[in-house]
Amino acid sequence: MPDPGYMRRSPVTYTGMLWLLAAQLVVMLPLAFYLPVWLIPVLLFSAGWRLRVMQGHMEQPGTIGILIIGSLGIIALTVSGIPRVSLDMMASLLMLGFAYKSLEVIQRRDAMVVILTGYLLVGVLFLYSQSILAALYGVFSMTVLTASMIALQSSKSTVMLVNLRLAGLMLLLCLPLMITFFVFTPRFSPLWTFTLPSSQAKTGMTDRLTPGDIARLSQSDEPAFRVNFAGERPAQKALYWRGLVLNHFDGKTWTQFADDIDPESVKTVLKTNEYNIKNRLVKKGSGLRYSVIYEKTAQPWLFALSPVVDIQGDAAFGRDFRIMARKNVMEPLQLTLLSYPLALRDVILPPWRQQLALQLPSQGNPRSRQLAQELLAKSPTKSHFIQTVMNRYRTQDFYYTLRPPVLQTTDTIDEFLFSSRRGFCAHYAGSFVFLMRAAGIPARIVAGYQGGEWNEKGNYLTVHQYDAHAWTEVWLENQGWVRFDPTLMVAPQRIEQNLQTAVSEEGSFLEGQLLTFAKYNWLNSIRKRLDSGQYAWRKFVLGYNGETQSQLMQRLFGKLSLLKTALIIASLFFVISLLWLVSLGLARRHPQEAPEHQLYRRFCTLLEKQGIHRAPSQTPHNFAQLAASRLPALASEIQTFTNNYIQLCYSPPEDSDSHATLQRLKTRFNSLSKAIKTLRKTTGT
Amino acid sequence: MTPWKTARQQWLQRRFPPSREITLGLRQVFVIPTATSAALLVAVLILFLMAVNFQSALIYGLSFWLLALLVVAIFFTYRNLSGLTLTALRSSPCFAGEKAVFELRVEDIAGRSKQAIFIGWSDEDLVEIDLPADTSTLIKLSAPTRQRGYFHPGRLQIVSRYPLGLIVAFSYAQLDMKSIVYPVARLQPVNEQATLVHSSSEGGAEVPRGTTDFDGVRNYQAGDSPRHIHWKNYARTGNITTKSFVDFSVHERWLDWDTLSFAGIENKLSHLAARVLQCHQEQQEYGLKLPGTTLQPDQGEAHMHRCLTTLALYAPETSEHA
């Protein structure tokens, strides 16, 4: 086998080195968002050094030099604050090696190692981001990497575009096969668990409610999750996406529990099973089935129409009728849920749970407490009292604003209810629950999202961060937990339509963002189209896992055995190969040959099998004479065929006749080949 | 040689019959993965494990894409060789131990462009060619020789890893071409006179229009050298006359096999070859006598090659027979 050593010995050309540097830069740039930025200057430094060496201006660094530079980089990584054993550290080390490798790239082999590492780093990028943009960038990186692979193989410096175009063509031709593999390859469950990227900022709803939080969220037009309803879409004002329950108030901030415990412990405390939930429910109304794709938040909280009675996907039930992810949502999570929004929850509430929902700080906000007592005294029933409090928000001059004044005193509830009277959902829900609890009625704050934007094209609902909302639940005998939303009293447009309408006069919608699609109507259709693209991406590409795969296979092929899958892949592979052969121009053998010449060539091979070879110098006429003398039985047939051929070649008939002559030549050829076959049979026996 | 190797040689012989023109196609081109593709497979495996562990659809896609790239590279690498046509043009002779040079035309049958194709007989003498679309190129390949006589170069290797280096496509071509290898030119320490048969000037024939001995005076003819014009006579008579000279072919030599006193056929041939070169350099006329063959004295490039070829192809059996 010729596997000449020239490949191993051949050094990388200057152009090849430039390509390699470009590919390295392209691969490393997006990772700089997630990993130490100084890795890029390290790459530029080492690649610059190598280029200077190639130009003959500098010396190749020695072993000691490389050791010093290498250990400097590793020291810098250890002091950079990245946890020792984490994906970030592994990715950073890979990047460091990737950057340093160009210091010693001399042979094509080294360069190949760099390129293969580059492909791995594209995979690492996908661990950090799975958006369409990241995927497109990944495709771009792959093209550049492949193009530099080509540049390494070609000896001369071709135009940049040529390599890129060839790389693009190759990757494009790969697509059908890649999709075949993607669709049909069985998915496995994880072999071992890894610590996921930890440096990611948490986004979305958090487990604490200080008035500033929701205001911050209302300034973000990032999508939080997308919903696809199996049946009819509920009315906009019924879309209360319930997430967290905040029980504890310390005078300033609402938290889930008294002692501020971390989300992981909350999860273990709250986790329960389906039966527990079903036992505490009285089903009413009809069920609502829908599927949700949650964006990554780095937190475990999930949002749904409460109460959920059935979950398909990786999530758990919580004791307070919420649902939670089993681990922090690091990549888009898809669930299919069944909810009964009208069901009664916890009609019987044990006393200790009632106590939990009556907690108030021992001191503070005296005027509010007094108001609660006064109103309660005037009300004949509890529900009458609740209605009075609700109406108070409407009748007195409360304003819904995203720019509330900063509350100066420690008695924030008093200050809000009696002096400032300006605020948004968090203020209203907080003051409402305070008044309820002060009157001895169990109540709690619920944080989540309200509403969402309906996408007609994609037939789904997008809930954005600015849809973040806080409302309340009050426990009433025989009714269990009942939802009350005091914001509805002040700004009904917020609930019935959306936040943008509610604050349109104020103009504070997404005011922190200079350029955003959601702000401008004329850009809205573009935005919706982009969003439906993103939804499709989440649903069909990122959401394509073992479960959806088996569903699809079931729908397409029925029951599939492993053998059948292999057969399908093999046949698709066959078709794709044919496609490649045709598109690469490998299927045609003699593209320019005229039919009569083809026939004559077949005639020659036919005679060759009989042992009569035609020398290149022999004219058809001479050859026919030779063949006739060797095969006297077929002499006349050989002569007529040759004469026909000569006539067609040298004195071609009129256009109309040429077709007929060609046909004649064909029949002559066929009879000749038949005659030869019979001849062979008779001589053989 | 092991039986397996002989079988392989025979098979290659059948698969690649000698021909003046060879076009590479499906039957001629072999395609095998290189070590780099093993490295790529390792990368694909790592990515696949990453995809499984992080349940990432994008990384699944990436690993499958790389795998598909490996497969498509087979087709692209094959395409880079397929349709390549080699035509044997000419060969130039050399002395044994030197490198014989063969000239070939390389083109693509469909006029496609080709890159980074290596052609040669051994790994050391590979020539790299790039063929832009619709062009042909002439290449000179050299092959080391050892013995005088006809030299048939072995099967040509044609190798390419373009475009990705993951796959190597290779083929062989047994081009029907040969070159003459002259005997090594090596003088033996012998009596110089022994090789000169007729060394006396007495027996030499006159060669007119020479430069050495005065012959007489004749009328000037256009083209006569100014140095030979009889200036004294011109001054006296006013007629331009030319002195004419003759050469005696005293330096005409016979390089004769039989006069060589030392032993060894190859030594004799080497010595004669060296003498041929010497005589050619001195621009003398010389003839060659070998057992069974005689070349009449002559001079010039063609004569030298004729003599050297005769020496190269000299078969000893006939000499012993004589």
Side-chain angles (χ1 to χ4, degrees):
Chain A
M1 296 291 121
D3 192 25
Y6 68 88
M7 270 312 162
R8 260 158 279 139
R9 290 193 308 270
S10 62
V12 177
T13 57
Y14 190 71
T15 326
M17 196 64 213
L18 285 179
W19 266 103
L20 207 60
L21 172 61
Q24 279 179 300
L25 259 183
V26 165
V27 168
M28 283 176 79
L29 267 180
L31 282 165
F33 287 114
Y34 308 101
L35 300 172
V37 180
W38 52 262
L39 287 167
I40 298 226
V42 167
L43 168 69
L44 291 177
F45 162 76
S46 36
W49 191 329
R50 158 99 340 241
L51 290 178
R52 299 286 287 172
V53 169
M54 295 191 86
Q55 290 164 346
H57 294 303
M58 272 171 90
E59 283 285 306
Q60 174 84 21
T63 323
I64 297 174
I66 286 180
L67 272 179
I68 291 173
I69 297 170
S71 44
L72 272 180
I74 290 173
I75 290 168
L77 266 189
T78 44
V79 300
S80 65
I82 302 172
R84 293 282 160 77
V85 187
S86 66
L87 187 84
D88 284 355
M89 185 50 101
M90 276 170 54
S92 304
L93 275 175
L94 197 62
M95 287 255 282
L96 192 67
F98 187 61
Y100 275 153
K101 186 72 187 165
S102 53
L103 261 185
E104 57 148 14
V105 170
I106 312 156
Q107 310 297 340
R108 278 188 191 170
R109 250 177 146 188
D110 303 305
M112 281 306 201
V113 171
V114 169
I115 286 174
L116 292 181
T117 318
Y119 285 124
L120 288 187
L121 281 172
V122 175
V124 171
L125 172 66
F126 291 158
L127 286 182
Y128 289 98
S129 175
Q130 298 212 358
S131 63
I132 296 185
L133 211 65
L136 286 177
Y137 193 86
V139 171
F140 171 64
S141 312
M142 271 195 84
T143 314
V144 176
L145 281 167
T146 312
S148 38
M149 222 157 154
I150 297 168
L152 286 173
Q153 292 303 323
S154 51
S155 50
K156 58 174 198 273
S157 49
T158 41
V159 192
M160 210 169 89
L161 219 57
V162 174
N163 285 349
L164 275 179
R165 206 185 299 140
L166 180 60
L169 176 69
M170 292 188 80
L171 289 174
L172 199 68
L173 286 178
C174 283
L175 262 184
L177 188 61
M178 185 268 249
I179 291 169
T180 306
F181 285 147
F182 185 81
V183 171
F184 289 99
T185 307
R187 297 300 195 266
F188 302 96
S189 45
L191 304 175
W192 64 86
T193 48
F194 243 111
T195 37
L196 278 148
S198 57
S199 62
Q200 296 201 349
K202 293 181 178 173
T203 54
M205 192 66 74
T206 57
D207 53 348
R208 305 165 69 84
L209 190 69
T210 21
D213 282 347
I214 286 188
R216 174 180 57 78
L217 283 181
S218 71
Q219 293 301 336
S220 161
D221 63 346
E222 293 283 313
F225 52 92
R226 297 182 177 84
V227 190
N228 186 9
F229 293 99
E232 191 88 339
R233 170 166 68 111
Q236 189 76 6
K237 62 180 178 188
L239 296 175
Y240 277 89
W241 304 103
R242 191 173 180 273
L244 293 102
V245 178
L246 306 175
N247 288 304
H248 186 78
F249 184 54
D250 67 354
K252 189 163 168 263
T253 307
W254 291 88
T255 51
Q256 302 199 66
F257 295 103
D259 32 349
D260 195 14
I261 49 178
D262 66 286
E264 288 305 310
S265 327
V266 170
K267 257 162 53 186
T268 46
V269 167
L270 283 177
K271 201 185 272 177
T272 183
N273 56 32
E274 205 178 330
Y275 305 103
N276 182 309
I277 294 295
K278 281 186 179 159
N279 286 337
R280 286 158 55 200
L281 279 180
V282 179
K283 271 191 195 167
K284 270 174 109 179
S286 54
L288 196 60
R289 193 172 278 285
Y290 52 100
S291 69
V292 191
I293 301 176
Y294 298 95
E295 293 287 324
K296 125 192 126 178
T297 57
Q299 300 191 82
W301 319 127
L302 301 179
F303 305 87
L305 302 173
S306 182
V308 175
V309 297
D310 181 45
I311 302 176
Q312 285 172 21
D314 199 21
F317 289 97
R319 286 181 194 281
D320 49 11
F321 301 102
R322 67 168 103 178
I323 57 168
M324 299 170 296
R326 289 188 199 278
K327 51 187 187 218
N328 291 351
V329 181
M330 284 312 190
E331 55 215 39
L333 172 70
Q334 184 167 10
L335 297 179
T336 302
L337 305 172
L338 176 63
S339 296
Y340 282 84
L342 297 176
L344 304 184
R345 295 166 295 172
D346 272 344
V347 179
I348 299 155
L349 194 66
W352 66 271
R353 277 182 183 275
Q354 294 201 16
Q355 286 307 311
L356 200 65
L358 285 170
Q359 175 272 339
L360 277 183
S362 53
Q363 286 170 0
N365 297 308
R367 290 181 69 189
S368 304
R369 289 173 201 253
Q370 196 190 345
L371 175 73
Q373 292 302 329
E374 280 171 14
L375 290 178
L376 183 67
K378 276 190 248 169
S379 310
T381 60
K382 276 185 183 172
S383 41
H384 195 268
F385 165 73
I386 297 169
Q387 216 47 59
T388 316
V389 174
M390 289 285 275
N391 285 339
R392 204 171 175 278
Y393 287 112
R394 194 178 57 215
T395 49
Q396 305 216 347
D397 52 347
F398 281 93
Y399 291 99
Y400 186 81
T401 172
L402 288 179
R403 300 172 187 151
V406 178
L407 301 174
Q408 309 286 341
T409 60
T410 47
D411 293 333
T412 50
I413 305 285
D414 277 6
E415 194 183 345
F416 172 69
L417 281 178
F418 298 102
S419 58
S420 86
R421 292 186 173 179
R422 282 155 206 280
F424 48 88
C425 56
H427 299 90
Y428 293 102
S431 58
F432 182 79
V433 171
F434 189 92
L435 290 176
M436 290 300 122
R437 288 185 175 185
I441 302 171
R444 61 194 187 188
I445 290 187
V446 176
Y449 296 85
Q450 201 284 323
E453 183 184 34
W454 184 249
N455 192 316
E456 309 271 336
K457 290 197 178 64
N459 217 28
Y460 66 91
L461 185 87
T462 308
V463 179
H464 295 93
Q465 293 297 353
Y466 58 69
D467 291 318
H469 191 52
W471 62 95
T472 70
E473 280 173 358
V474 177
W475 187 78
L476 297 171
E477 272 163 64
N478 300 325
Q479 294 181 58
W481 291 105
V482 179
R483 184 178 67 221
F484 285 92
D485 189 354
T487 312
L488 188 62
M489 298 289 113
V490 186
Q493 317 92 300
R494 166 67 188 87
I495 310 305
E496 278 150 18
Q497 293 174 46
N498 54 33
L499 181 69
Q500 191 174 10
T501 324
V503 295
S504 57
E505 265 177 53
E506 190 179 66
S508 59
F509 180 64
L510 295 178
E511 63 181 346
Q513 304 220 357
L514 282 177
L515 224 160
T516 170
F517 291 127
K519 240 162 127 175
Y520 306 101
N521 275 329
W522 60 276
L523 279 174
N524 239 2
S525 68
I526 299 176
R527 185 177 63 94
K528 280 199 175 175
R529 202 160 294 172
L530 281 179
D531 194 79
S532 54
Q534 202 137 53
Y535 177 68
W537 175 252
R538 291 270 184 271
K539 194 174 166 70
F540 298 113
V541 180
L542 301 186
Y544 191 74
N545 51 28
E547 212 169 305
T548 40
Q549 184 184 39
S550 56
Q551 279 169 15
L552 179 74
M553 294 297 122
Q554 194 79 34
R555 237 196 5 247
L556 288 180
F557 306 104
K559 191 98 186 80
L560 258 191
S561 64
L562 208 62
L563 180 76
K564 234 169 150 186
T565 315
L567 275 176
I568 291 172
I569 292 186
S571 49
L572 278 173
F573 182 74
F574 181 72
V575 171
I576 291 166
S577 302
L578 283 181
L579 201 114
W580 285 345
L581 283 175
V582 171
S583 59
L584 290 178
L586 297 173
R588 291 166 295 162
R589 270 193 73 185
H590 292 277
Q592 284 108 5
E593 205 171 29
E596 62 265 23
H597 297 310
Q598 283 180 29
L599 275 174
Y600 190 72
R601 203 162 39 76
R602 284 167 68 190
F603 166 76
C604 288
T605 40
L606 207 63
L607 289 177
E608 217 161 87
K609 279 181 193 154
Q610 301 302 309
I612 308 166
H613 297 279
R614 179 181 169 223
S617 58
Q618 255 173 335
T619 62
H621 186 70
N622 289 345
F623 181 57
Q625 280 178 341
L626 172 79
S629 66
R630 294 274 296 278
L631 293 172
L634 300 172
S636 68
E637 255 141 5
I638 290 172
Q639 284 297 353
T640 29
F641 176 83
T642 310
N643 288 342
N644 258 335
Y645 172 66
I646 292 173
Q647 190 203 341
L648 212 54
C649 287
Y650 300 105
S651 53
E654 296 293 308
D655 271 1
S656 50
D657 290 347
S658 69
H659 185 69
T661 323
L662 194 64
Q663 282 304 321
R664 231 174 10 250
L665 191 70
K666 257 181 208 163
T667 43
R668 291 269 146 73
F669 176 77
N670 288 339
S671 65
L672 185 71
S673 70
K674 237 181 250 165
I676 285 184
K677 259 178 214 157
T678 48
L679 187 73
R680 207 182 298 159
K681 259 181 212 158
T682 49
T683 51
T685 48
Chain B
M1 242 196 240
T2 61
W4 186 83
K5 269 190 177 163
T6 353
R8 180 171 167 269
Q9 284 300 322
Q10 281 171 356
W11 181 78
L12 283 173
Q13 210 88 50
R14 275 202 310 278
R15 196 69 182 269
F16 300 99
S19 164
R20 294 290 291 179
E21 185 181 287
I22 286 164
T23 300
L24 303 184
L26 214 51
R27 279 177 58 80
Q28 283 80 31
V29 177
F30 302 94
V31 178
I32 51 170
T34 64
T36 317
S37 63
L40 181 86
L41 280 180
V42 170
V44 168
L45 189 71
I46 293 174
L47 282 170
F48 187 79
L49 287 178
M50 255 162 87
V52 167
N53 258 342
F54 295 109
Q55 298 284 298
S56 165
L58 284 190
I59 304 181
Y60 268 118
L62 178 65
S63 70
F64 295 144
W65 209 345
L66 280 184
L67 197 64
L69 191 65
L70 181 60
V71 181
V72 91
I74 300 174
F75 288 77
F76 272 86
T77 317
Y78 165 71
R79 186 175 78 147
N80 200 34
L81 278 197
S82 103
L84 193 76
T85 306
L86 303 178
T87 314
L89 291 183
R90 64 186 77 86
S91 61
S92 39
C94 70
F95 291 93
E98 291 178 351
K99 283 184 173 176
V101 177
F102 297 87
E103 202 171 330
L104 282 79
R105 186 173 60 234
V106 184
E107 66 205 315
D108 183 73
I109 196 165
R112 277 193 297 249
S113 73
K114 311 248 137 168
Q115 272 89 26
I117 296 175
F118 294 80
I119 299 181
W121 279 285
S122 65
D123 292 353
E124 286 73 36
D125 286 324
L126 290 173
V127 170
E128 181 174 359
I129 54 164
D130 289 300
L131 210 58
D134 297 317
T135 55
S136 69
T137 182
L138 298 184
I139 57 169
K140 281 182 174 165
L141 295 175
S142 57
T145 59
R146 270 187 302 233
Q147 288 173 331
R148 68 180 177 88
Y150 279 121
F151 172 71
H152 295 269
R155 270 187 295 278
L156 263 182
Q157 278 180 22
I158 304 148
V159 188
S160 176
R161 301 190 175 208
Y162 191 83
L164 293 188
L166 297 172
I167 303 291
V168 55
F170 61 94
S171 181
Y172 300 104
Q174 179 73 66
L175 279 174
D176 187 12
M177 61 196 318
K178 62 190 176 191
S179 128
I180 295 272
V181 179
Y182 303 145
V184 186
R186 193 170 53 231
L187 279 176
Q188 297 289 332
V190 289
N191 178 14
E192 195 57 31
Q193 290 303 309
T195 57
L196 299 177
V197 186
H198 307 287
S199 53
S200 81
S201 61
E202 312 306 322
E206 273 186 10
V207 179
R209 287 188 290 285
T211 51
T212 325
D213 294 333
F214 183 69
D215 187 38
V217 176
R218 59 173 171 78
N219 281 335
Y220 173 80
Q221 288 170 343
D224 283 346
S225 167
R227 287 195 299 166
H228 293 169
I229 291 174
H230 199 323
W231 294 109
K232 280 182 187 163
N233 195 26
Y234 174 62
R236 235 182 11 247
T237 64
N239 295 329
I240 304 179
T241 48
T242 306
K243 293 184 275 189
S244 68
F245 296 84
V246 288
D247 281 340
F248 287 95
S249 60
V250 285
H251 308 293
E252 180 191 275
R253 288 155 197 231
W254 278 103
L255 308 178
D256 194 340
W257 173 278
D258 294 325
T259 59
L260 299 179
S261 52
F262 51 86
I265 294 167
E266 295 305 319
N267 283 345
K268 286 180 180 176
L269 289 172
S270 287
H271 180 80
L272 287 176
R275 292 287 301 136
V276 166
L277 286 183
Q278 212 171 31
C279 293
H280 176 70
Q281 207 140 50
E282 290 164 5
Q283 296 190 342
Q284 291 167 345
E285 293 210 341
Y286 54 93
L288 182 64
K289 276 187 189 163
L290 288 182
T293 323
T294 307
L295 289 177
Q296 287 304 318
D298 199 349
Q299 59 177 6
E301 198 85 12
H303 180 63
M304 176 192 76
H305 283 299
R306 213 158 35 239
C307 292
L308 288 173
T309 306
T310 313
L311 289 173
L313 300 181
Y314 173 72
E317 292 85 29
T318 51
S319 77
E320 251 137 309
H321 181 70

